[in-house]
Amino acid sequence: MRYETVVIGAGQAGLSAGYHLAQRGQPFVILDGADHVGGSWLNRWDSLALFTPASRDNLPGVRFGGGYTFPSKDEMVAYLQRYAGQHQLPIRLNTRVDGLFGEGGGYRVTAGTESFEADNVILATGVHRVPRTPRFADELSSDIVQLHTADYRNPAQLQPGTVLIVGAGNSGAEIGVEVGKTHKVLLAGRNVGYLPIDMRGWQGKLMFPLIWWVWENILTENKKPGRKVQAEALQGHSEPLIRQKEKDLLAVGIERVPRITGVVDGRPQTEDGDVLKVANVIWCTGFLPDFGWIDLPGLDTSGRIATERGSVTGQPGLYVLGQEFQYMFNSHTVGGVGKDAAYVVRQIAARSVLTSSGLEQARSGS
């Protein structure tokens, strides 16, 4: 099967790309391995709520609705499904892509026994796919329940006793506050600080439009403040807590401990040498990119893929959407990815015109 453009991933990035491709009349198909649109959102903990309010969670062409509330993951899945249906986007579900190769000046995408040829490919899979845990995690005693945030759903998965949460960023804080209501919680990791305003109340409602404007117009890779923040983000520096405050952690009895550096006799050890007696460990240590299924000469798939506003360096016709700080601070957010998608699709449309013009010239000269 041949398509002008193949979009890999039917989440917010892929759907945004599909909208703009459809608006320009560009032939395309969206491939996704899940059995329904937005399926990756269901692989999160039960109580997850977006960090951005519903008023800023709009994809192009359809408003989310809900005003200044923080949507749940189930509400986000319902919105994405409604979005795909309303725009009648051509989506192939249960089609898990396992290979991307160069072919005849274009690309070949494989999914099991199926093969798709394309002039353009948009990688809209999300870049953080493989749960990251330290090597010494395997040394923990078998009587300790271990979960990564990719596997954690709710406190019912935990056994009685102390819970160690490794990673003190937003995920660790959110899960810690939830688990702290039923278990004693130790939170390991650097204190990343928190926003000086309460995002959940009137302060957030008043200030968030300004915050969003700064994210979208000042913290961009073509401006000095944006390049500085981008460099810090790519070096792994954690952003401050967006919704939780230190008082929220203290209110449920969370105790901070230094970062975990190893295991002694099956128990986690802090950098200060303390060995912690815990019954559960939740690894809130993030994810690693997984582009190992891409086989293109000259493309480094070991980490973040280098792009210029989404156009992959050295790979004409290959694009990425949804990377952290792809162009602006909020490029990876639901409400931010649409702007990048519009830019990428403009590049595809321009490339299509050039390709068509070249073919016409070739025919005229023959």
Side-chain angles (χ1 to χ4, degrees):
M1 288 174 283
R2 182 166 188 84
Y3 296 90
E4 187 167 319
T5 300
V6 168
V7 181
I8 304 174
Q12 58 266 20
L15 297 182
S16 295
Y19 169 84
H20 287 292
L21 287 165
Q23 291 294 106
R24 288 180 173 269
Q26 299 285 317
F28 70 99
V29 67
I30 301 175
L31 308 179
D32 196 285
D35 58 5
H36 58 272
V37 169
S40 63
W41 279 95
L42 296 180
N43 298 324
R44 315 285 182 94
W45 64 92
D46 294 345
S47 64
L48 174 71
L50 273 68
F51 291 110
T52 51
S55 57
R56 295 291 176 173
D57 294 330
N58 307 307
L59 296 185
V62 178
R63 293 190 62 79
F64 188 98
Y68 197 81
T69 60
F70 295 92
S72 69
K73 66 174 188 178
D74 293 332
E75 290 172 326
M76 178 50 60
V77 170
Y79 169 68
L80 295 178
Q81 292 176 344
R82 173 165 59 93
Y83 186 89
Q86 186 166 327
H87 291 299
Q88 298 183 322
L89 299 177
I91 300 172
R92 289 278 305 271
L93 298 172
N94 296 302
T95 307
R96 186 172 298 280
V97 171
D98 53 26
L100 173 60
F101 311 89
E103 180 134 326
Y107 298 95
R108 178 166 56 90
V109 178
T110 60
T113 59
E114 294 189 276
S115 183
F116 306 82
E117 295 180 2
D119 296 322
N120 310 287
V121 173
I122 300 176
L123 305 176
T125 58
V127 295
H128 302 123
R129 301 178 59 166
V130 179
R132 177 174 58 190
T133 56
R135 293 180 179 178
F136 55 74
D138 291 338
E139 300 174 24
L140 287 176
S141 173
S142 60
D143 64 1
I144 295 178
V145 171
Q146 287 193 68
L147 296 169
H148 189 272
T149 50
D151 306 305
Y152 172 78
R153 296 294 178 267
N154 55 63
Q157 295 170 283
L158 306 172
Q159 62 185 343
T162 300
V163 178
L164 171 66
I165 295 179
V166 182
N170 278 289
S171 295
E174 296 275 329
I175 292 174
V177 168
E178 176 177 72
V179 173
K181 298 172 184 177
T182 56
H183 294 70
K184 176 177 175 56
V185 173
L186 304 179
L187 181 61
R190 182 175 64 88
N191 188 335
V192 297
Y194 52 87
L195 292 182
I197 63 173
D198 188 346
M199 291 292 294
R200 299 161 293 190
W202 67 268
Q203 292 178 327
K205 188 174 183 179
L206 180 65
M207 293 297 297
F208 195 80
L210 175 60
I211 293 172
W212 186 267
W213 185 86
V214 170
W215 287 354
E216 202 166 49
N217 296 281
I218 303 300
L219 298 184
T220 61
E221 67 177 12
N222 66 343
K223 291 185 172 64
K224 186 175 180 180
R227 289 193 294 272
K228 179 181 178 182
V229 173
Q230 184 185 52
E232 292 175 349
L234 298 184
Q235 290 171 8
H237 294 184
S238 297
E239 60 188 22
L241 300 185
I242 295 174
R243 195 156 40 217
Q244 304 297 337
K245 308 293 183 188
E246 194 68 21
K247 65 180 182 181
D248 299 317
L249 308 186
L250 295 174
V252 294
I254 293 176
E255 178 184 341
R256 287 189 177 271
V257 296
R259 68 189 186 96
I260 305 301
T261 55
V263 174
V264 173
D265 296 329
R267 305 295 165 186
Q269 183 182 41
T270 71
E271 62 182 348
D272 291 349
D274 293 331
V275 178
L276 307 177
K277 295 180 179 180
V278 299
N280 310 271
V281 174
I282 302 177
W283 299 104
C284 297
T285 43
F287 296 80
L288 295 170
D290 177 22
F291 291 119
W293 49 277
I294 299 177
D295 185 9
L296 294 172
L299 181 62
D300 182 4
T301 60
S302 61
R304 178 186 173 93
I305 292 181
T307 75
E308 183 177 344
R309 291 221 50 184
S311 181
V312 177
T313 305
Q315 303 290 336
L318 183 61
Y319 306 88
V320 173
L321 279 176
Q323 283 200 131
E324 185 178 7
F325 213 133
Q326 180 164 309
Y327 170 68
M328 53 193 179
F329 182 84
N330 56 340
S331 282
H332 64 293
T333 66
V334 176
V337 72
K339 189 173 183 177
D340 286 339
Y343 187 87
V344 162
V345 170
R346 285 199 296 272
Q347 294 182 78
I348 290 175
R351 185 168 186 265
S352 178
V353 169
L354 290 173
T355 301
S356 299
S357 176
L359 289 173
E360 288 298 324
Q361 290 178 8
R363 292 192 188 102
S364 300
S366 57

